[in-house]
Structures are given as C-alpha cells and as structure tokens.
PDB file of all heavy atoms in Angstrom:
ATOM      1  N   ALA A   1       0.820  -1.218  -0.003  1.00 97.00           N
ATOM      2  CA  ALA A   1       0.007   0.007   0.004  1.00 97.00           C
ATOM      3  C   ALA A   1       0.859   1.238   0.014  1.00 97.00           C
ATOM      4  O   ALA A   1       1.811   1.431   0.798  1.00 97.00           O
ATOM      5  CB  ALA A   1      -0.930   0.020   1.219  1.00 97.00           C
ATOM      6  N   GLY A   2       0.556   2.160  -0.904  1.00 97.00           N
ATOM      7  CA  GLY A   2       1.284   3.441  -1.011  1.00 97.00           C
ATOM      8  C   GLY A   2       2.511   3.396  -1.899  1.00 97.00           C
ATOM      9  O   GLY A   2       3.071   4.414  -2.221  1.00 97.00           O
ATOM     10  N   TRP A   3       2.854   2.172  -2.380  1.00 98.00           N
ATOM     11  CA  TRP A   3       4.111   2.050  -3.197  1.00 98.00           C
ATOM     12  C   TRP A   3       3.729   1.811  -4.657  1.00 98.00           C
ATOM     13  O   TRP A   3       2.797   1.061  -4.941  1.00 98.00           O
ATOM     14  CB  TRP A   3       5.018   0.958  -2.757  1.00 98.00           C
ATOM     15  CG  TRP A   3       6.231   0.730  -3.701  1.00 98.00           C
ATOM     16  CD1 TRP A   3       7.373   1.345  -3.663  1.00 98.00           C
ATOM     17  CD2 TRP A   3       6.212  -0.179  -4.817  1.00 98.00           C
ATOM     18  NE1 TRP A   3       8.181   0.925  -4.721  1.00 98.00           N
ATOM     19  CE2 TRP A   3       7.501  -0.030  -5.387  1.00 98.00           C
ATOM     20  CE3 TRP A   3       5.305  -1.064  -5.348  1.00 98.00           C
ATOM     21  CZ2 TRP A   3       7.854  -0.758  -6.546  1.00 98.00           C
ATOM     22  CZ3 TRP A   3       5.676  -1.818  -6.485  1.00 98.00           C
ATOM     23  CH2 TRP A   3       6.914  -1.633  -6.996  1.00 98.00           C
ATOM     24  N   HIS A   4       4.447   2.405  -5.604  1.00 98.00           N
ATOM     25  CA  HIS A   4       4.275   2.108  -6.998  1.00 98.00           C
ATOM     26  C   HIS A   4       5.650   2.286  -7.665  1.00 98.00           C
ATOM     27  O   HIS A   4       6.528   2.996  -7.214  1.00 98.00           O
ATOM     28  CB  HIS A   4       3.191   2.933  -7.701  1.00 98.00           C
ATOM     29  CG  HIS A   4       3.445   4.420  -7.630  1.00 98.00           C
ATOM     30  ND1 HIS A   4       4.371   5.052  -8.429  1.00 98.00           N
ATOM     31  CD2 HIS A   4       2.879   5.397  -6.866  1.00 98.00           C
ATOM     32  CE1 HIS A   4       4.367   6.374  -8.189  1.00 98.00           C
ATOM     33  NE2 HIS A   4       3.459   6.600  -7.178  1.00 98.00           N
ATOM     34  N   ALA A   5       5.781   1.665  -8.793  1.00 98.00           N
ATOM     35  CA  ALA A   5       7.027   1.790  -9.575  1.00 98.00           C
ATOM     36  C   ALA A   5       7.182   3.211 -10.135  1.00 98.00           C
ATOM     37  O   ALA A   5       6.142   3.890 -10.315  1.00 98.00           O
ATOM     38  CB  ALA A   5       7.060   0.761 -10.662  1.00 98.00           C
ATOM     39  N   PRO A   6       8.408   3.635 -10.474  1.00 98.00           N
ATOM     40  CA  PRO A   6       8.609   4.965 -11.047  1.00 98.00           C
ATOM     41  C   PRO A   6       7.741   5.150 -12.311  1.00 98.00           C
ATOM     42  O   PRO A   6       7.648   4.203 -13.112  1.00 98.00           O
ATOM     43  CB  PRO A   6      10.061   4.998 -11.364  1.00 98.00           C
ATOM     44  CG  PRO A   6      10.674   3.997 -10.399  1.00 98.00           C
ATOM     45  CD  PRO A   6       9.683   2.917 -10.265  1.00 98.00           C
ATOM     46  N   PRO A   7       7.126   6.336 -12.485  1.00 98.00           N
ATOM     47  CA  PRO A   7       6.267   6.523 -13.710  1.00 98.00           C
ATOM     48  C   PRO A   7       6.991   6.267 -15.005  1.00 98.00           C
ATOM     49  O   PRO A   7       6.349   5.836 -16.004  1.00 98.00           O
ATOM     50  CB  PRO A   7       5.866   8.018 -13.535  1.00 98.00           C
ATOM     51  CG  PRO A   7       5.999   8.293 -12.104  1.00 98.00           C
ATOM     52  CD  PRO A   7       7.110   7.476 -11.635  1.00 98.00           C
ATOM     53  N   ALA A   8       8.271   6.580 -15.093  1.00 98.00           N
ATOM     54  CA  ALA A   8       8.996   6.393 -16.360  1.00 98.00           C
ATOM     55  C   ALA A   8       8.997   4.913 -16.806  1.00 98.00           C
ATOM     56  O   ALA A   8       9.064   4.641 -18.022  1.00 98.00           O
ATOM     57  CB  ALA A   8      10.423   6.879 -16.186  1.00 98.00           C
ATOM     58  N   TRP A   9       8.901   4.004 -15.855  1.00 98.00           N
ATOM     59  CA  TRP A   9       8.887   2.570 -16.216  1.00 98.00           C
ATOM     60  C   TRP A   9       7.594   2.186 -16.923  1.00 98.00           C
ATOM     61  O   TRP A   9       7.636   1.499 -17.944  1.00 98.00           O
ATOM     62  CB  TRP A   9       9.090   1.743 -14.976  1.00 98.00           C
ATOM     63  CG  TRP A   9       9.090   0.258 -15.180  1.00 98.00           C
ATOM     64  CD1 TRP A   9       8.246  -0.636 -14.541  1.00 98.00           C
ATOM     65  CD2 TRP A   9       9.934  -0.500 -16.021  1.00 98.00           C
ATOM     66  NE1 TRP A   9       8.553  -1.905 -14.948  1.00 98.00           N
ATOM     67  CE2 TRP A   9       9.608  -1.879 -15.842  1.00 98.00           C
ATOM     68  CE3 TRP A   9      10.947  -0.232 -16.915  1.00 98.00           C
ATOM     69  CZ2 TRP A   9      10.206  -2.951 -16.533  1.00 98.00           C
ATOM     70  CZ3 TRP A   9      11.575  -1.237 -17.593  1.00 98.00           C
ATOM     71  CH2 TRP A   9      11.233  -2.562 -17.375  1.00 98.00           C
ATOM     72  N   ALA A  10       6.478   2.624 -16.441  1.00 98.00           N
ATOM     73  CA  ALA A  10       5.193   2.365 -17.086  1.00 98.00           C
ATOM     74  C   ALA A  10       5.150   3.029 -18.450  1.00 98.00           C
ATOM     75  O   ALA A  10       4.582   2.521 -19.385  1.00 98.00           O
ATOM     76  CB  ALA A  10       4.042   2.824 -16.183  1.00 98.00           C
ATOM     77  N   GLU A  11       5.735   4.232 -18.504  1.00 98.00           N
ATOM     78  CA  GLU A  11       5.800   4.935 -19.848  1.00 98.00           C
ATOM     79  C   GLU A  11       6.606   4.125 -20.794  1.00 98.00           C
ATOM     80  O   GLU A  11       6.266   4.115 -22.024  1.00 98.00           O
ATOM     81  CB  GLU A  11       6.323   6.361 -19.609  1.00 98.00           C
ATOM     82  CG  GLU A  11       5.434   7.245 -18.805  1.00 98.00           C
ATOM     83  CD  GLU A  11       6.143   8.539 -18.290  1.00 98.00           C
ATOM     84  OE1 GLU A  11       7.307   8.715 -18.732  1.00 98.00           O
ATOM     85  OE2 GLU A  11       5.551   9.288 -17.559  1.00 98.00           O
ATOM     86  N   ARG A  12       7.697   3.519 -20.361  1.00 98.00           N
ATOM     87  CA  ARG A  12       8.521   2.693 -21.250  1.00 98.00           C
ATOM     88  C   ARG A  12       7.676   1.548 -21.838  1.00 98.00           C
ATOM     89  O   ARG A  12       7.760   1.161 -22.975  1.00 98.00           O
ATOM     90  CB  ARG A  12       9.711   2.178 -20.443  1.00 98.00           C
ATOM     91  CG  ARG A  12      10.511   1.051 -21.169  1.00 98.00           C
ATOM     92  CD  ARG A  12      11.591   1.578 -22.121  1.00 98.00           C
ATOM     93  NE  ARG A  12      12.289   0.563 -22.777  1.00 98.00           N
ATOM     94  CZ  ARG A  12      13.409   0.023 -22.348  1.00 98.00           C
ATOM     95  NH1 ARG A  12      13.938   0.471 -21.186  1.00 98.00           N
ATOM     96  NH2 ARG A  12      14.041  -0.924 -22.971  1.00 98.00           N
ATOM     97  N   ALA A  13       6.815   0.975 -20.937  1.00 98.00           N
ATOM     98  CA  ALA A  13       5.978  -0.118 -21.411  1.00 98.00           C
ATOM     99  C   ALA A  13       5.035   0.314 -22.545  1.00 98.00           C
ATOM    100  O   ALA A  13       4.811  -0.441 -23.512  1.00 98.00           O
ATOM    101  CB  ALA A  13       5.185  -0.693 -20.247  1.00 98.00           C
ATOM    102  N   VAL A  14       4.481   1.473 -22.418  1.00 98.00           N
ATOM    103  CA  VAL A  14       3.581   1.982 -23.481  1.00 98.00           C
ATOM    104  C   VAL A  14       4.343   2.201 -24.761  1.00 98.00           C
ATOM    105  O   VAL A  14       3.838   1.819 -25.841  1.00 98.00           O
ATOM    106  CB  VAL A  14       2.941   3.338 -22.982  1.00 98.00           C
ATOM    107  CG1 VAL A  14       2.150   3.986 -24.143  1.00 98.00           C
ATOM    108  CG2 VAL A  14       2.016   3.080 -21.809  1.00 98.00           C
ATOM    109  N   THR A  15       5.525   2.775 -24.724  1.00 98.00           N
ATOM    110  CA  THR A  15       6.335   2.967 -25.892  1.00 98.00           C
ATOM    111  C   THR A  15       6.705   1.714 -26.600  1.00 98.00           C
ATOM    112  O   THR A  15       6.596   1.570 -27.809  1.00 98.00           O
ATOM    113  CB  THR A  15       7.614   3.772 -25.519  1.00 98.00           C
ATOM    114  OG1 THR A  15       7.272   5.028 -24.916  1.00 98.00           O
ATOM    115  CG2 THR A  15       8.462   4.028 -26.751  1.00 98.00           C
ATOM    116  N   GLU A  16       7.154   0.731 -25.800  1.00 98.00           N
ATOM    117  CA  GLU A  16       7.579  -0.570 -26.401  1.00 98.00           C
ATOM    118  C   GLU A  16       6.385  -1.290 -27.016  1.00 98.00           C
ATOM    119  O   GLU A  16       6.482  -1.796 -28.158  1.00 98.00           O
ATOM    120  CB  GLU A  16       8.182  -1.472 -25.309  1.00 98.00           C
ATOM    121  CG  GLU A  16       9.504  -0.951 -24.734  1.00 98.00           C
ATOM    122  CD  GLU A  16      10.685  -1.088 -25.703  1.00 98.00           C
ATOM    123  OE1 GLU A  16      10.528  -1.679 -26.763  1.00 98.00           O
ATOM    124  OE2 GLU A  16      11.779  -0.659 -25.299  1.00 98.00           O
ATOM    125  N   ARG A  17       5.230  -1.245 -26.384  1.00 98.00           N
ATOM    126  CA  ARG A  17       4.105  -1.974 -26.907  1.00 98.00           C
ATOM    127  C   ARG A  17       3.594  -1.294 -28.144  1.00 98.00           C
ATOM    128  O   ARG A  17       3.099  -1.908 -29.077  1.00 98.00           O
ATOM    129  CB  ARG A  17       2.996  -2.060 -25.835  1.00 98.00           C
ATOM    130  CG  ARG A  17       1.717  -2.802 -26.289  1.00 98.00           C
ATOM    131  CD  ARG A  17       2.017  -4.210 -26.708  1.00 98.00           C
ATOM    132  NE  ARG A  17       0.860  -4.782 -27.427  1.00 98.00           N
ATOM    133  CZ  ARG A  17      -0.061  -5.500 -26.872  1.00 98.00           C
ATOM    134  NH1 ARG A  17      -0.089  -5.726 -25.546  1.00 98.00           N
ATOM    135  NH2 ARG A  17      -1.085  -6.003 -27.553  1.00 98.00           N
ATOM    136  N   ALA A  18       3.622   0.061 -28.178  1.00 98.00           N
ATOM    137  CA  ALA A  18       3.136   0.802 -29.381  1.00 98.00           C
ATOM    138  C   ALA A  18       4.001   0.418 -30.620  1.00 98.00           C
ATOM    139  O   ALA A  18       3.459   0.179 -31.690  1.00 98.00           O
ATOM    140  CB  ALA A  18       3.181   2.306 -29.115  1.00 98.00           C
ATOM    141  N   ALA A  19       5.302   0.284 -30.379  1.00 97.00           N
ATOM    142  CA  ALA A  19       6.187  -0.107 -31.462  1.00 97.00           C
ATOM    143  C   ALA A  19       5.878  -1.522 -31.952  1.00 97.00           C
ATOM    144  O   ALA A  19       5.872  -1.790 -33.198  1.00 97.00           O
ATOM    145  CB  ALA A  19       7.666   0.068 -31.035  1.00 97.00           C
ATOM    146  N   TRP A  20       5.636  -2.398 -31.034  1.00 97.00           N
ATOM    147  CA  TRP A  20       5.352  -3.807 -31.460  1.00 97.00           C
ATOM    148  C   TRP A  20       4.016  -3.892 -32.161  1.00 97.00           C
ATOM    149  O   TRP A  20       3.883  -4.566 -33.191  1.00 97.00           O
ATOM    150  CB  TRP A  20       5.348  -4.684 -30.185  1.00 97.00           C
ATOM    151  CG  TRP A  20       5.000  -6.107 -30.498  1.00 97.00           C
ATOM    152  CD1 TRP A  20       3.831  -6.741 -30.156  1.00 97.00           C
ATOM    153  CD2 TRP A  20       5.786  -7.059 -31.190  1.00 97.00           C
ATOM    154  NE1 TRP A  20       3.860  -8.005 -30.624  1.00 97.00           N
ATOM    155  CE2 TRP A  20       5.032  -8.273 -31.264  1.00 97.00           C
ATOM    156  CE3 TRP A  20       7.058  -7.032 -31.765  1.00 97.00           C
ATOM    157  CZ2 TRP A  20       5.498  -9.395 -31.851  1.00 97.00           C
ATOM    158  CZ3 TRP A  20       7.565  -8.151 -32.364  1.00 97.00           C
ATOM    159  CH2 TRP A  20       6.791  -9.369 -32.440  1.00 97.00           C
ATOM    160  N   ASP A  21       2.978  -3.174 -31.663  1.00 97.00           N
ATOM    161  CA  ASP A  21       1.685  -3.205 -32.305  1.00 97.00           C
ATOM    162  C   ASP A  21       1.816  -2.626 -33.744  1.00 97.00           C
ATOM    163  O   ASP A  21       1.143  -3.175 -34.627  1.00 97.00           O
ATOM    164  CB  ASP A  21       0.663  -2.345 -31.528  1.00 97.00           C
ATOM    165  CG  ASP A  21       0.184  -3.088 -30.309  1.00 97.00           C
ATOM    166  OD1 ASP A  21       0.307  -4.355 -30.255  1.00 97.00           O
ATOM    167  OD2 ASP A  21      -0.417  -2.437 -29.403  1.00 97.00           O
ATOM    168  N   ALA A  22       2.602  -1.566 -33.948  1.00 96.00           N
ATOM    169  CA  ALA A  22       2.809  -1.074 -35.302  1.00 96.00           C
ATOM    170  C   ALA A  22       3.462  -2.098 -36.180  1.00 96.00           C
ATOM    171  O   ALA A  22       3.105  -2.205 -37.393  1.00 96.00           O
ATOM    172  CB  ALA A  22       3.664   0.239 -35.223  1.00 96.00           C
ATOM    173  N   HIS A  23       4.401  -2.892 -35.651  1.00 95.00           N
ATOM    174  CA  HIS A  23       5.035  -3.917 -36.419  1.00 95.00           C
ATOM    175  C   HIS A  23       4.050  -5.025 -36.779  1.00 95.00           C
ATOM    176  O   HIS A  23       4.029  -5.436 -37.943  1.00 95.00           O
ATOM    177  CB  HIS A  23       6.190  -4.514 -35.582  1.00 95.00           C
ATOM    178  CG  HIS A  23       6.848  -5.700 -36.201  1.00 95.00           C
ATOM    179  ND1 HIS A  23       7.526  -5.603 -37.411  1.00 95.00           N
ATOM    180  CD2 HIS A  23       6.948  -7.025 -35.777  1.00 95.00           C
ATOM    181  CE1 HIS A  23       7.971  -6.816 -37.685  1.00 95.00           C
ATOM    182  NE2 HIS A  23       7.689  -7.680 -36.734  1.00 95.00           N
ATOM    183  N   ILE A  24       3.176  -5.443 -35.872  1.00 96.00           N
ATOM    184  CA  ILE A  24       2.159  -6.406 -36.132  1.00 96.00           C
ATOM    185  C   ILE A  24       1.214  -5.934 -37.174  1.00 96.00           C
ATOM    186  O   ILE A  24       0.759  -6.652 -38.116  1.00 96.00           O
ATOM    187  CB  ILE A  24       1.392  -6.817 -34.867  1.00 96.00           C
ATOM    188  CG1 ILE A  24       2.355  -7.560 -33.900  1.00 96.00           C
ATOM    189  CG2 ILE A  24       0.222  -7.702 -35.168  1.00 96.00           C
ATOM    190  CD1 ILE A  24       2.918  -8.846 -34.417  1.00 96.00           C
ATOM    191  N   ASP A  25       0.819  -4.677 -37.112  1.00 95.00           N
ATOM    192  CA  ASP A  25      -0.078  -4.047 -38.096  1.00 95.00           C
ATOM    193  C   ASP A  25       0.550  -4.166 -39.454  1.00 95.00           C
ATOM    194  O   ASP A  25      -0.139  -4.496 -40.480  1.00 95.00           O
ATOM    195  CB  ASP A  25      -0.392  -2.605 -37.735  1.00 95.00           C
ATOM    196  CG  ASP A  25      -1.300  -2.448 -36.552  1.00 95.00           C
ATOM    197  OD1 ASP A  25      -2.031  -3.462 -36.244  1.00 95.00           O
ATOM    198  OD2 ASP A  25      -1.326  -1.384 -35.951  1.00 95.00           O
ATOM    199  N   THR A  26       1.812  -3.894 -39.581  1.00 94.00           N
ATOM    200  CA  THR A  26       2.492  -4.015 -40.902  1.00 94.00           C
ATOM    201  C   THR A  26       2.502  -5.400 -41.401  1.00 94.00           C
ATOM    202  O   THR A  26       2.279  -5.668 -42.605  1.00 94.00           O
ATOM    203  CB  THR A  26       3.973  -3.520 -40.720  1.00 94.00           C
ATOM    204  OG1 THR A  26       3.967  -2.135 -40.301  1.00 94.00           O
ATOM    205  CG2 THR A  26       4.690  -3.609 -42.078  1.00 94.00           C
ATOM    206  N   LEU A  27       2.775  -6.395 -40.516  1.00 93.00           N
ATOM    207  CA  LEU A  27       2.730  -7.744 -40.942  1.00 93.00           C
ATOM    208  C   LEU A  27       1.373  -8.217 -41.376  1.00 93.00           C
ATOM    209  O   LEU A  27       1.242  -8.973 -42.329  1.00 93.00           O
ATOM    210  CB  LEU A  27       3.256  -8.693 -39.745  1.00 93.00           C
ATOM    211  CG  LEU A  27       4.694  -8.497 -39.322  1.00 93.00           C
ATOM    212  CD1 LEU A  27       4.965  -9.405 -38.120  1.00 93.00           C
ATOM    213  CD2 LEU A  27       5.672  -8.880 -40.495  1.00 93.00           C
ATOM    214  N   ARG A  28       0.368  -7.732 -40.705  1.00 94.00           N
ATOM    215  CA  ARG A  28      -1.023  -8.130 -41.073  1.00 94.00           C
ATOM    216  C   ARG A  28      -1.466  -7.531 -42.359  1.00 94.00           C
ATOM    217  O   ARG A  28      -2.247  -8.105 -43.084  1.00 94.00           O
ATOM    218  CB  ARG A  28      -1.939  -7.738 -39.916  1.00 94.00           C
ATOM    219  CG  ARG A  28      -1.851  -8.587 -38.656  1.00 94.00           C
ATOM    220  CD  ARG A  28      -2.863  -8.171 -37.587  1.00 94.00           C
ATOM    221  NE  ARG A  28      -2.774  -9.145 -36.452  1.00 94.00           N
ATOM    222  CZ  ARG A  28      -3.629  -9.075 -35.445  1.00 94.00           C
ATOM    223  NH1 ARG A  28      -4.602  -8.177 -35.438  1.00 94.00           N
ATOM    224  NH2 ARG A  28      -3.504  -9.944 -34.452  1.00 94.00           N
ATOM    225  N   ALA A  29      -0.923  -6.330 -42.627  1.00 91.00           N
ATOM    226  CA  ALA A  29      -1.243  -5.692 -43.914  1.00 91.00           C
ATOM    227  C   ALA A  29      -0.598  -6.505 -45.076  1.00 91.00           C
ATOM    228  O   ALA A  29      -1.244  -6.773 -46.108  1.00 91.00           O
ATOM    229  CB  ALA A  29      -0.796  -4.263 -43.958  1.00 91.00           C
ATOM    230  N   GLY A  30       0.668  -6.878 -44.854  1.00 78.00           N
ATOM    231  CA  GLY A  30       1.345  -7.760 -45.820  1.00 78.00           C
ATOM    232  C   GLY A  30       1.491  -7.112 -47.195  1.00 78.00           C
ATOM    233  O   GLY A  30       1.355  -5.935 -47.379  1.00 78.00           O
ATOM    234  N   ALA A  31       1.862  -7.944 -48.154  1.00 66.00           N
ATOM    235  CA  ALA A  31       2.022  -7.536 -49.515  1.00 66.00           C
ATOM    236  C   ALA A  31       1.141  -8.394 -50.398  1.00 66.00           C
ATOM    237  O   ALA A  31       0.886  -9.516 -50.122  1.00 66.00           O
ATOM    238  CB  ALA A  31       3.490  -7.684 -49.940  1.00 66.00           C
ATOM    239  N   SER A  32       0.677  -7.787 -51.461  1.00 51.00           N
ATOM    240  CA  SER A  32      -0.122  -8.527 -52.425  1.00 51.00           C
ATOM    241  C   SER A  32       0.684  -9.300 -53.455  1.00 51.00           C
ATOM    242  O   SER A  32       0.725  -8.945 -54.601  1.00 51.00           O
ATOM    243  CB  SER A  32      -1.062  -7.523 -53.153  1.00 51.00           C
ATOM    244  OG  SER A  32      -1.891  -6.803 -52.206  1.00 51.00           O
ATOM    245  N   ASP A  33       1.376 -10.256 -52.954  1.00 62.00           N
ATOM    246  CA  ASP A  33       2.280 -11.030 -53.845  1.00 62.00           C
ATOM    247  C   ASP A  33       1.711 -12.472 -54.089  1.00 62.00           C
ATOM    248  O   ASP A  33       2.410 -13.336 -54.548  1.00 62.00           O
ATOM    249  CB  ASP A  33       3.688 -11.152 -53.233  1.00 62.00           C
ATOM    250  CG  ASP A  33       3.634 -11.880 -51.893  1.00 62.00           C
ATOM    251  OD1 ASP A  33       2.572 -12.159 -51.386  1.00 62.00           O
ATOM    252  OD2 ASP A  33       4.737 -12.078 -51.328  1.00 62.00           O
ATOM    253  N   GLY A  34       0.397 -12.679 -53.779  1.00 66.00           N
ATOM    254  CA  GLY A  34      -0.166 -13.929 -54.059  1.00 66.00           C
ATOM    255  C   GLY A  34       0.002 -14.990 -52.985  1.00 66.00           C
ATOM    256  O   GLY A  34      -0.314 -16.122 -53.169  1.00 66.00           O
TER     257      GLY A  34
END
C-alpha cells in the first residue's frame, strides 16, 4: 500500500508496446504477392 514503480517505467511499457503493435499491423497488412 502506497508504493508504485517509477512513472518512467510504465511509460517505457507504453512505448515498447506501441512499437510492437505497429510492427504487427505492418505484418497483417502484408504484400499483395499472391
């Protein structure tokens, strides 16, 4: 109670996940090569 991790750490998680999600979006879009 009363303790939490430094805010910068949670912010790092958001940044890392956003980059990964963008990568997955690119893979899902793919290329129209048949």
Side-chain angles (χ1 to χ4, degrees):
W3 174 86
H4 60 76
W9 178 237
E11 294 166 6
R12 168 84 181 270
V14 172
T15 302
E16 295 286 357
R17 180 61 193 267
W20 178 252
D21 282 344
H23 175 61
I24 294 297
D25 288 341
T26 300
L27 294 176
R28 289 183 174 184
S32 300
D33 61 356

